[in-house]
Amino acid sequence: LCAIIHYLVRGQLGWFGLTTACLVPGYAAQLLSILWFRADGHRPGCWLLALHLLQLGLWKRYWDVLRAETGGGAGEVLSQLGDVCVLRLLEALLQTLPHLLLQAYVVVAVDPAGFIPGVSAGLSLLSLAWALVSYSHFTCLMKPGHLSPPAAVIVCLLLWRTGMLGTRVLALVLFARLYSFWVFAVAGVHWLLMSFWLVAQQTDIVAQPCRWRLFNGLLGAVYIFCYINVRPGPSKARVAVFYTVSTWDILYFTWI
């Protein structure tokens, strides 16, 4: 919101419009949250709809998790925590990531001394990294016999995600500054490689063939920036392949 007001006050209507547009994809997570409330037997009232319209629906879910921890069972807490972690990750990928790319480009190529865009980009990076860490934390809790990881592990995961996302975003932004729209060609090649790789793995998280292809295509776009494990079992080999392709990208950007 501060970034939007910043561009509006300075008369930079182009950046104002693009920053405002980054808010729109976030409503997909809010709509999915409302549908999940209905599926759970909670009829959304006017107050709940207003919260989701203001993009505060996930905060309501966090509040429900806190209430369940004080008076509910472990199964109810885990179920609500899973819903909010998945929705938060979806919101971060659809809304926070485009905002991060936009503000990072403004800081690097347009206004290097811009305080508000810089702070906004930094907070977006931390927000996206924390959404990924929260999702990893939840998947760890879902495994049989696994306990909640200690705080040191959470901090290490946060540093890893922040560093990985930061380098990827910086590489793409610097390439976009030098070669403009050619960055989409490089990102497109990476997206195709990752999508075909996911198809070759035969991920069965989505049953219908059409939705399965769409899921792999969307996840391939996410793999331009970070790795998300969607298959059970050891993932060392898959992470190694992901880092090999990502390292090739960074070396290519450096050579160019």
Side-chain angles (χ1 to χ4, degrees):
L1 289 177
C2 289
I4 291 174
I5 296 173
H6 170 77
Y7 294 128
L8 182 61
V9 170
R10 298 185 63 176
Q12 298 174 325
L13 299 182
W15 299 118
F16 164 77
L18 290 174
T19 305
T20 305
C22 290
L23 296 175
V24 177
Y27 280 104
Q30 304 295 326
L31 176 60
L32 189 59
S33 176
I34 293 176
L35 295 177
W36 285 2
F37 269 121
R38 294 186 61 181
D40 293 338
H42 303 288
R43 185 176 180 180
C46 295
W47 174 245
L48 189 61
L49 293 175
L51 287 177
H52 284 80
L53 186 62
L54 296 173
Q55 294 201 358
L56 297 176
L58 302 191
W59 290 91
K60 169 66 168 60
R61 286 186 171 273
Y62 277 118
W63 175 251
D64 292 341
V65 171
L66 292 176
R67 292 177 58 187
E69 287 180 346
T70 58
E76 181 183 357
V77 173
L78 192 60
S79 176
Q80 294 188 11
L81 181 63
D83 289 346
V84 73
C85 286
V86 172
L87 289 170
R88 179 67 189 91
L89 179 61
L90 179 63
E91 183 186 53
L93 294 174
L94 294 178
Q95 177 175 301
T96 308
L97 180 57
H99 182 81
L100 168 61
L101 291 170
L102 180 64
Q103 303 309 315
Y105 182 81
V106 170
V107 172
V108 171
V110 179
D111 188 12
F115 176 75
I116 296 297
V119 172
S120 183
L123 292 178
S124 296
L125 177 61
L126 289 176
S127 177
L128 180 57
W130 182 250
L132 291 166
V133 171
S134 298
Y135 176 78
S136 300
H137 180 217
F138 168 70
T139 56
C140 182
L141 293 176
M142 289 294 292
K143 296 177 181 178
H146 284 67
L147 301 177
S148 179
V153 175
I154 299 296
V155 172
C156 290
L157 284 173
L158 183 61
L159 292 175
W160 167 50
R161 290 295 190 180
T162 304
M164 183 64 193
L165 288 167
T167 53
R168 297 293 297 169
V169 169
L170 183 60
L172 289 171
V173 167
L174 290 175
F175 189 89
R177 181 190 179 189
L178 293 176
Y179 298 99
S180 187
F181 292 102
W182 281 104
V183 68
F184 294 107
V186 177
V189 171
H190 186 106
W191 169 66
L192 288 176
L193 289 175
M194 292 291 101
S195 297
F196 286 132
W197 179 52
L198 288 167
V199 170
Q201 295 181 51
Q202 296 295 322
T203 53
D204 56 355
I205 191 172
V206 180
Q208 294 84 351
C210 183
R211 296 181 181 180
W212 176 74
R213 297 188 186 95
L214 178 61
F215 173 79
N216 288 323
L218 293 176
L219 192 61
V222 174
Y223 274 23
I224 298 175
F225 304 95
C226 59
Y227 176 81
I228 300 177
N229 188 26
V230 294
R231 292 185 61 192
S235 58
K236 293 180 180 179
R238 297 193 294 272
V239 173
V241 173
F242 170 78
Y243 270 105
T244 299
V245 178
S246 298
T247 303
W248 175 84
D249 280 355
I250 294 177
L251 291 176
Y252 177 77
F253 290 146
T254 305
W255 177 74
I256 289 294

